[in-house]
Amino acid sequence: MKKNTFIAVISLLVFSVSSFGQTESYWVFLKDKTIENYQIENDFSQKAIERREQQNIPFDASDYPVNSDYLKQIEENVTDLTGNSRWFNAAYIKATEEQIEQLEQFEFITKISKAVVWNESPYCDEKALSDVTYNDQLRISQLRMFYPEYFESKEITGKGVRVAVLDGGFPGVDTHPAFDHLRENNQIIDTYDFVKDDVFAYRGNQHGTMVLSCIAGKYKDNEIMGLAQDAEFLLARTEKSFEPFKEEIFWMEAMEWADQKGADVINSSLGYTFHRYFQENMDGKTSLITKAANKAAEKGILVVNAAGNEGDGDWHYIGAPADADSILSIGGVKPDTHLHINFSSYGPTADGRLKPNVSAAGKALVADKNGFYQVAYGTSFASPLTAGFAACVKQAFPELSVMELKAKIESSGSLYPYFDYAHGYGIPDAGKLFGEKSDKLSVEIIEEKSDIIIHIPDEVFTNSGIHNNNILFYHIQNANGQLDSYKVLEILQQDVARLSKAALKGKKLMVHFNGYTTSSNF
């Protein structure tokens, strides 16, 4: 994928000039829901109901449909009623300023907010996706970093877990041999094209096809490309090139649809950044889609979202909804070194929270719409690779609530409890997940009169080049729990770093090396 965009990362914002007679997009928030004798079973699948029961999450007013009488009155007085959201009890409309003035007189409307829109195609540049047609080594690398043999030994393949994929389209999923097993075993439970408003989703941009292959695709000789081979899938097309007014509502409607269809995990390789928002808006509570991602977590669904590809651009940081506090935001690493890949967006959030949460390969072998395979770049692919891992964790620990599931995956990270704003807690590790890996190599923090030295003991230094275990991470954490700085160093000598003791006063130094983390407060 083109390095400075991932699906629906928006690079140009268009504000319409407000004038009478000219339509703009708005969110209209409603007062209440007067639904009598509404039956949850009419709209929610049995699996959705079971997910709520298992996590002790009751149905409430946010699950009920928007009042149809209100929608009818709104539709009669606007240019276009595009859609609506149960979760936020709101309608998405296109209207003139005169029409808005009319709506403001309706007593059942509590607030009208202008919706920001964009007009540039969000899709990846296919010229950037053609490094190699067949690359089995890359396929192996993108999976090996998760230590999948621990899943294999327990026959964990995502069975019984339902994964929703929200993307730009799924052309070829109904014909590509990479998905034969999904079709033959009826693992694609439902599809919907929110752009065309019908059930056929095997069209549009091939980005969704690529993403799905990273969750559950197969390569030649039946070799797996993603970890959740036996999961069930809901496929939702939510993005369309040059459709500036509707993608946000499509995405939110798809989230609610996935909830009703019983999704346990949602993968979304989507984000909004510059020209739509400012960096200070990436605070987990400003963007409506960020609120929607958190709302999905409230409903018991784990949302896995790409961190973004602005790491080497002017924006630099994660976008929305990756700033949501209740979701897993996924950074990208190089498949060979497992270190940050240059385009992967950095944390923290604007309010100082850790992002990304974990990382996976930002370069991956994927299936394309034409029945072939190719190489793709982007956190768009790190995200579904992690979503496949998450589906396996859900199968292995079905009793976990969504926030416990999120924490379980974070604590399995290759760097955990160490973290930084490039890698998060590192790459999820199935061995750590089951407590079957124990790393005994250590590192020392030595305090001298005026300096603090990070030191590698003799026996550790002698073996530090084995299995690429010659990389040391350290960060300096302030009293607010945020990082003042962090570094990744190659081990060339036993005294890896010398830091000023005075500069560390009142702060915490944390060091990670060869799976072992140590820390000291100063």
Side-chain angles (χ1 to χ4, degrees), residues 29 85 87-88 111 113 248 251-252 255-256 277 281 283-299 303 320-327 353:
F29 295 89
S85 168
W87 289 352
F88 297 101
K111 183 175 68 172
S113 300
E248 185 173 3
W251 187 81
M252 293 178 64
M255 294 281 280
E256 297 181 15
Y277 297 107
N281 299 141
D283 58 2
K285 55 189 177 184
T286 297
S287 161
L288 195 60
I289 59 170
T290 293
K291 294 177 183 178
N294 280 330
K295 179 66 74 171
E298 291 179 18
K299 305 299 184 183
V303 178
D323 62 324
D325 61 0
S326 298
I327 73 171
R353 288 176 291 106

Side-chain angles (χ1 to χ4, degrees), residues 124-143:
C124 52
D125 181 354
E126 295 189 19
K127 292 180 181 178
L129 299 173
S130 305
D131 284 356
V132 184
T133 303
Y134 297 102
N135 191 334
D136 195 49
Q137 186 56 50
L138 178 57
R139 180 195 66 81
I140 293 170
S141 296
Q142 70 197 43
L143 296 178

Side-chain angles (χ1 to χ4, degrees), residues 91-110:
Y92 193 79
I93 66 168
K94 290 172 67 175
T96 65
E97 190 170 324
E98 290 173 316
Q99 291 169 334
I100 293 300
E101 290 179 355
Q102 178 66 30
L103 291 184
E104 288 173 341
Q105 306 305 311
F106 293 173
E107 62 85 23
F108 61 81
I109 294 176
T110 61

Side-chain angles (χ1 to χ4, degrees), residues 36-93:
E36 296 182 1
N37 302 318
Y38 174 70
Q39 299 295 318
I40 286 293
E41 295 82 2
N42 293 339
D43 286 340
F44 286 79
S45 69
Q46 184 59 36
K47 189 165 185 5
I49 295 170
E50 290 171 357
R51 187 193 69 235
R52 298 286 189 95
E53 291 176 347
Q54 188 271 321
Q55 298 187 52
N56 296 314
I57 299 173
F59 287 92
D60 59 29
S62 67
D63 298 305
Y64 301 158
V66 178
N67 188 301
S68 59
D69 290 336
Y70 294 168
L71 292 177
K72 182 178 180 181
Q73 293 183 62
I74 291 171
E75 187 172 22
E76 290 173 348
N77 288 274
V78 300
T79 302
D80 179 57
L81 173 62
T82 303
N84 65 84
S85 168
R86 295 180 180 224
W87 289 352
F88 297 101
N89 196 22
Y92 193 79
I93 66 168

